[in-house]
Amino acid sequence: MAEKPSVLIIGGLGYIGRFLALYIHKNNLASDVRIVDKVLPQLAWLAPEFEEACAGSKFMQADASREQSLQRIFDRADGKQWDYVFNCGGETRYSQEDEVYKLRSLELSLAVGREAAKRGVKCFIELSTGMVYKPDSSPSKEQDKLKPWSKIAVFKLQAEEELAKIPGLNLVIVRLAHVYGPYAPQWVATALCMARVYQALGSEMKWLWTKNLCTNTVHIHDVTRSLWDVAQWYQAGKAKWDSAKMGPTPTFNVVDKGHTTQGTMADLIGDVFGIKTGFQGTIISNFAKIHLHDVVEDVNDELLGPWAGLLEDAGITKPGPLTPFMEEELLKDTDLSMDGSRLEELVGFKYEKPKINKELLQEVIESYKRMRWWP
């Protein structure tokens, strides 16, 4: 039997990185794994089930965007090179200065990409985002028009384009929808925290824009499976990849089959929290288009006080990554709408969580409760 691949995960304590490490660990898929992150495991809000997969001898603290760290990150005791490198690193917070994304996302990707090429890594997987597509309610395929609409996406697209120019880099690009699942930070967390406050206040939770605005999703369980399957597919010879038609760099959208919209989320959240949900209507939405900053500020002012009160009442001093704070970039009237059929057709991937539902959202809240983050 062929030896199992050796795996290096950059940004391995981030949300996706830790779940990828756990998936590889649980299924015993790799001969050797190294988790690299600039944050120490003790400070990364790791749930107990990740400790074996992400900490101890598997973990190396290093900043992969720094040229001088690369040798230590890539060198192995046996002198061999890593088979698969997954770049799960980069800045994931919204609304940062351009310089932050340039340094922490773009330059990180290029530094590890160049090193992987130099060392002949068999497959280098770059995580990107579906926010690189021109917003459109009809689902974007991998070769559709690109027009990034968040700062993260602007610099991710630059990274995609620059990595593709590196000679000898065995590159695959994976563009993700909104990732949710147990312990999820950001998008789904914000919506759930907001709903918890509206529940406590006994008021209706209203979204801007319309119920048809696309906010496509994918469960973390399927994200980690897809990343592994794509690496295996690449190393096995990229079956059915037609570079004349599809371009030189294998690129895959990873998005569930549920076509999640704001309406989907409003219905599910209403159901989970037992609150009334709805939409603001055209007058307020049109006002928000012009004065989005003010609208977001008002919502945050309204919610952050009561949220702090809920935490205090529940005796929670460390709510982990949870906050109802709404990011302006995420509140734009832009569709995140993606077509994931290529992954299924070429790689033979099957989604095990094909659409977001009440049970999966409740599972997210239960995970927050286990961590004592949830009031």
Side-chain angles (χ1 to χ4, degrees):
M1 203 179 121
E3 197 188 343
K4 291 173 183 174
S6 57
V7 177
L8 173 62
I9 305 175
I10 308 288
L13 294 185
Y15 185 62
I16 295 169
R18 68 181 64 177
F19 270 96
L20 178 59
L22 184 63
Y23 176 71
I24 291 168
H25 176 72
K26 269 186 174 166
N27 296 287
N28 195 15
L29 298 173
S31 58
D32 187 15
V33 178
R34 180 176 293 167
I35 311 292
V36 175
D37 207 289
K38 61 180 191 300
V39 175
L40 283 168
Q42 298 86 316
L43 303 174
W45 298 318
L46 281 183
E49 64 261 38
F50 294 98
E51 285 184 10
E52 216 182 319
C54 295
S57 60
K58 290 191 171 84
F59 177 74
M60 176 186 283
Q61 187 184 23
D63 182 350
S65 65
R66 296 165 69 101
E67 208 72 40
Q68 58 269 42
S69 308
L70 293 172
Q71 189 170 349
R72 190 165 68 92
I73 289 170
F74 276 82
D75 279 356
R76 296 174 63 197
D78 63 6
K80 290 181 182 169
Q81 301 302 346
W82 298 101
D83 293 315
Y84 300 164
V85 175
F86 294 92
N87 182 22
C88 305
E91 183 54 74
T92 52
R93 293 172 304 169
Y94 290 91
S95 316
Q96 306 295 306
E97 295 296 321
D98 285 5
E99 204 45 46
V100 172
Y101 297 111
K102 190 167 170 271
L103 195 69
R104 294 197 184 150
S105 291
L106 177 60
E107 289 180 11
L108 167 89
S109 292
L110 298 182
V112 290
R114 283 192 288 263
E115 193 67 24
K118 195 168 90 184
R119 291 173 179 254
V121 166
K122 288 176 187 157
C123 184
F124 180 88
I125 297 200
E126 173 75 2
L127 269 59
S128 187
T129 167
M131 294 179 191
V132 297
Y133 294 112
K134 184 172 191 276
D136 192 336
S137 56
S138 62
S140 296
K141 293 190 166 188
E142 288 82 354
Q143 281 166 289
D144 285 348
K145 202 165 171 39
L146 300 172
K147 191 185 178 187
W149 52 270
S150 71
K151 278 192 185 182
I152 288 178
V154 168
F155 287 93
K156 269 294 171 194
L157 183 56
Q158 282 182 35
E160 286 187 23
E161 291 166 349
E162 293 301 315
L163 285 168
K165 295 175 191 165
I166 296 174
L169 181 62
N170 294 312
L171 173 65
V172 180
I173 290 163
V174 171
R175 294 178 181 149
L176 300 165
H178 285 303
V179 181
Y180 75 99
Y183 316 110
Q186 292 183 317
W187 182 78
V188 73
T190 305
L192 293 173
C193 294
M194 289 173 84
R196 178 68 187 92
V197 175
Y198 285 117
Q199 182 189 45
L201 297 173
S203 43
E204 185 179 356
M205 180 167 174
K206 285 189 166 184
W207 274 257
L208 281 172
W209 328 123
T210 70
K211 68 178 196 298
N212 301 323
L213 187 75
C214 298
T215 55
N216 284 187
T217 49
V218 61
H219 194 280
I220 186 66
H221 171 75
D222 285 328
V223 172
T224 53
R225 292 174 53 245
S226 71
L227 291 173
W228 187 260
D229 287 5
V230 163
Q232 296 281 76
W233 167 86
Y234 189 96
Q235 203 190 336
K238 300 187 283 192
K240 300 189 221 164
W241 185 262
D242 180 347
S243 46
K245 275 191 194 153
M246 301 173 180
T249 304
T251 304
F252 293 97
N253 288 339
V254 178
V255 52
D256 66 27
K257 301 161 83 67
H259 308 297
T260 311
T261 61
Q262 285 203 135
T264 318
M265 293 307 291
D267 291 347
L268 289 173
I269 281 173
D271 204 7
V272 168
F273 288 89
I275 58 175
K276 228 179 135 193
T277 58
F279 291 83
Q280 289 290 10
T282 36
I283 294 173
I284 291 182
S285 286
N286 285 338
F287 174 81
K289 268 187 180 149
I290 309 161
H291 304 283
L292 190 58
H293 180 72
D294 298 336
V295 170
V296 173
E297 220 164 58
D298 287 350
V299 173
N300 285 331
D301 285 349
E302 183 193 344
L303 298 179
L304 289 172
W307 173 254
L310 287 171
L311 293 176
E312 197 178 335
D313 294 347
I316 295 168
T317 49
K318 293 177 181 161
L322 300 191
T323 169
F325 182 84
M326 179 44 96
E327 289 289 357
E328 194 176 323
E329 279 194 295
L330 276 182
L331 208 57
K332 288 180 182 167
D333 184 13
T334 41
D335 289 287
L336 180 66
S337 176
M338 301 162 69
D339 179 321
S341 55
R342 175 185 280 182
L343 180 69
E344 296 176 282
E345 287 159 16
L346 268 64
V347 180
F349 185 77
K350 287 186 173 54
Y351 287 89
E352 290 179 0
K353 317 257 185 205
K355 61 188 286 197
I356 194 166
N357 59 34
K358 186 181 177 182
E359 290 68 39
L360 291 172
L361 271 189
Q362 277 171 324
E363 204 178 79
V364 176
I365 295 169
E366 286 309 313
S367 75
Y368 297 157
K369 287 179 179 171
R370 283 197 300 278
M371 295 297 281
R372 299 258 316 119
W373 292 344
W374 186 258

